[in-house]
Amino acid sequence: MGVLIFLIVVVALLVIVAIAMSIKVVKQFEKGVLFRFGRLVGPREPGLRLIVPFVDVLHPVSLRIVTMPIQSQGIITRDNVSVDVSAVAYFRVVDAVKSVIAIENVHAAIDQIAQTTLRKVVGQHTLDETLSETDRINLDIREILDIATVEWGVEVTLVELKDIQLPDSMKRAMARQAEAEREKRAKIINAQGESLAAAALGDASDTMMAHPLALQLRNLQSLVEIGVDKNTTVVFPAPLMSTIGELGSFLARETAAATSADRSVGTTKPEIRPLPNGAKETV
């Protein structure tokens, strides 16, 4: 009787273990791939799935997007500049059966092919293109990876260059180039400003020549601007050429007056007047 009870208990335990081993749960973001005696049976959708213990093997495959960093690669660009480029790739499994059967480790395979593709694509571009045309480089890398991974049941959704490290000598050269470019733009802008200012001054001078009172109004405006600063010295602006002309006329008048006075003094005869006491006075 005791042996019979022991056997019943053992059988019950074996049944419980078998049931536990036969119950599998496939999560919502996964898809199961079922093998029976090593042969493919087919995919299994998410949910509670029953398999035959020791006969069936269920491989869960995640269908979520995977973020894979591509480690920095030492690359020589087309114009013979050595740069270190790192990137990041996003991919997801679209065919669970192919991802299990066609390749042993899909993650490692994509990592390796992404590194070689990154080195190949960047090496076909110059340094300036690598720095300025990253969108086109990202698209080229993605297209190459899609062609290689379609047989593995994997779709590459996005590839982005993450970091580009330049040599120190190249950084200094680019800094000098950028500084020279800024100086060139500053000189061009300064020259354009001088040209516009000269044209405006020419128009203003034409207006003042046509309207003389405009110059006097400008002088009064200058006095107002000087008075704002509360200066102790007041400057009265005057037209330079007219001032010089008036000064020359004044000197000419003074010189003529002095000459006529000298002539009048040299030609006048003295007048003799008699005094009451018999003396004479010379005038």
Side-chain angles (χ1 to χ4, degrees):
M1 187 65 180
V3 176
L4 180 61
I5 296 174
F6 176 75
L7 292 176
I8 293 174
V9 171
V10 170
V11 171
L13 291 175
L14 291 176
V15 171
I16 293 173
V17 171
I19 294 174
M21 295 179 62
S22 63
I23 297 175
K24 297 293 181 180
V25 176
V26 180
K27 299 178 181 179
Q28 181 64 40
F29 55 84
E30 294 179 339
K31 181 173 287 190
V33 180
L34 182 63
F35 292 88
R36 180 166 297 163
F37 292 112
R39 296 179 63 87
L40 176 66
V41 177
R44 292 295 183 265
E45 297 298 328
L48 182 63
R49 301 299 171 187
L50 297 176
I51 62 174
V52 179
F54 306 106
V55 175
D56 296 341
V57 177
L58 185 65
H59 290 278
V61 178
S62 177
L63 303 181
R64 292 178 295 181
I65 295 177
V66 179
T67 303
M68 175 175 290
I70 304 174
Q71 63 182 1
S72 180
Q73 303 291 312
I75 304 172
I76 299 178
T77 61
R78 194 175 63 185
D79 51 352
N80 297 324
V81 178
S82 178
V83 294
D84 293 332
V85 181
S86 61
V88 59
Y90 300 85
F91 68 92
R92 63 188 181 92
V93 176
V94 294
D95 192 332
V97 175
K98 287 184 178 180
S99 67
V100 175
I101 295 178
I103 192 166
E104 180 180 1
N105 190 334
V106 65
H107 293 268
I110 293 177
D111 184 24
Q112 294 299 318
I113 194 172
Q115 293 181 24
T116 57
T117 304
L118 174 65
R119 187 181 299 109
K120 176 183 178 181
V121 173
V122 175
Q124 296 175 352
H125 296 78
T126 62
L127 178 61
D128 292 338
E129 293 174 350
T130 303
L131 296 176
S132 61
E133 300 181 4
T134 55
D135 292 339
R136 185 161 65 90
I137 294 176
N138 295 336
L139 184 60
D140 293 342
I141 296 175
R142 177 185 171 184
E143 290 177 352
I144 295 175
L145 291 179
D146 279 337
I147 295 174
T149 59
V150 65
E151 297 181 358
W152 306 340
V154 176
E155 178 187 6
V156 179
T157 59
L158 184 64
V159 177
E160 290 288 341
L161 296 182
K162 185 168 62 175
D163 189 20
I164 301 176
Q165 294 291 335
L166 301 176
D168 294 336
S169 59
M170 182 58 62
K171 291 180 181 179
R172 291 192 294 268
M174 295 178 66
R176 291 194 299 269
Q177 179 184 1
E179 183 178 359
E181 183 68 23
R182 292 190 184 96
E183 290 180 356
K184 182 187 74 172
R185 291 200 298 265
K187 290 180 179 179
I188 293 175
I189 294 173
N190 189 21
Q192 292 175 350
E194 293 291 340
S195 177
L196 294 176
L201 289 175
D203 295 338
S205 64
D206 294 339
T207 303
M208 289 181 180
M209 290 179 64
H211 305 280
L213 291 178
L215 182 59
Q216 298 299 327
L217 294 175
R218 185 68 186 110
N219 292 339
L220 295 175
Q221 181 65 29
S222 299
L223 288 176
V224 173
E225 294 175 357
I226 293 173
V228 172
D229 296 334
K230 299 180 180 180
N231 294 329
T232 57
T233 302
V234 179
V235 180
F236 292 92
L240 180 61
M241 298 305 295
S242 62
T243 302
I244 295 175
E246 293 177 359
L247 181 61
S249 300
F250 174 77
L251 294 176
R253 289 195 302 269
E254 292 295 325
T255 303
T259 303
S260 61
D262 292 340
R263 289 179 180 177
S264 62
V265 171
T267 57
T268 304
K269 294 181 179 180
E271 180 181 357
I272 300 175
R273 295 178 181 179
L275 296 177
N277 58 3
K280 294 182 179 181
E281 179 184 7
T282 302
V283 180

